[in-house]
Amino acid sequence: MSRGGRDKEREEAERRCIVTGDVAPKAGLVRFVLGPDGMIYPDLAEKLPGRGIWVTSERAVLEKAASKGLFSRAARSQAQLPEGFIDMVDAGLAQRVIELISLSRKAGDAVCGFEKVKDWLAEGRAKVLLQASDGSDRGKGKLWTPPGGRWFGCLTASELGLAFGRDRAIHGALAAGGLTPRVIREAARLAGLRKQDGGQTAMKDTKTA
């Protein structure tokens, strides 16, 4: 336990967004670094050397950072952005989410398909409900967010299918533990960038099992 009785494991380092000026947990921001070539690169794994430049994971905030020259100001040096850099961030975050879900599936901690997901929800095994952003609202509304869990709808059916080794998938579920906390972290950043709430409720139906 830390000072004040807070659980250290639940604490997360905070960073200041160069655009909004808000200080928030790193989970909601994207780290960028200035490369030796003077280009700004996203550091999604937060491992690249150099001074980190943090921006809230929202498209409008990233666009403002780019258009107002805020990366150069934060880097204290002339900085250039790669072409389509916001799309680069989007693709990188999506790939991280897909890979983590795929690993969870191989570990037996993730399933897809309406009936399997419904069974996990009914049994209380699911911690996270995943639903494709381009799936039918009617079909998605028949499932519910796990009590105390999360819902994400930031992946397309093709992307969610890729995570499960299929062409397409509309419904997926993750069990608690394992890689699920990391999936939640990365999916929340992607949801913010894609203007999806990534919140506590499913599309329509919020009943519990």
Side-chain angles (χ1 to χ4, degrees):
M1 300 290 285
S2 65
R3 194 178 307 174
R6 294 180 63 186
D7 188 342
K8 288 184 178 180
E9 293 182 355
R10 296 195 176 188
E11 292 182 350
E12 183 177 358
E14 296 181 331
R15 295 293 185 269
R16 185 182 300 276
C17 172
I18 66 168
V19 180
T20 67
D22 295 336
V23 175
K26 293 195 301 181
L29 295 91
V30 177
R31 184 180 191 264
F32 296 86
V33 295
L34 179 67
D37 57 356
M39 299 288 285
I40 290 290
Y41 294 101
D43 178 23
L44 303 181
E46 300 172 8
K47 293 182 178 179
L48 293 178
R51 180 174 177 270
I53 299 171
W54 297 83
V55 183
T56 300
S57 187
E58 294 180 11
R59 183 170 288 269
V61 178
L62 284 169
E63 289 174 347
K64 185 174 181 179
S67 64
K68 300 295 184 179
L70 300 184
F71 283 106
S72 293
R73 182 186 301 176
R76 299 175 184 174
S77 176
Q78 188 61 37
Q80 295 184 316
L81 300 176
E83 184 176 351
F85 100 103
I86 296 180
D87 290 335
M88 179 189 302
V89 176
D90 182 290
L93 286 175
Q95 185 61 35
R96 289 176 67 83
V97 176
I98 290 168
E99 289 176 353
L100 287 169
I101 295 172
S102 179
L103 289 172
S104 294
R105 171 181 63 86
K106 293 174 183 177
D109 293 330
V111 294
C112 71
F114 182 86
E115 293 299 333
K116 288 183 179 180
V117 171
K118 185 177 180 181
D119 287 345
W120 271 34
L121 288 169
E123 295 166 4
R125 186 175 178 183
K127 178 67 174 180
V128 176
L129 173 63
L130 304 165
Q131 294 184 305
S133 58
D134 51 350
S136 164
D137 285 351
R138 181 178 180 182
K140 291 190 291 186
K142 295 178 180 179
L143 297 176
W144 58 94
T145 301
R150 299 291 298 271
W151 168 82
F152 289 103
C154 51
L155 294 177
T156 66
S158 295
E159 290 171 334
L160 192 57
L162 187 59
F164 285 100
R166 298 184 175 189
D167 290 335
R168 289 170 57 85
I170 304 299
H171 313 283
L174 302 174
L179 293 171
T180 294
R182 290 181 59 189
V183 175
I184 291 173
R185 186 182 193 277
E186 300 297 344
R189 293 201 293 176
L190 180 62
L193 193 63
R194 293 184 172 184
K195 298 182 180 179
Q196 307 257 338
D197 64 22
Q200 303 296 327
T201 59
M203 298 298 293
K204 294 181 181 180
D205 194 343
T206 59
K207 67 184 180 181
T208 58

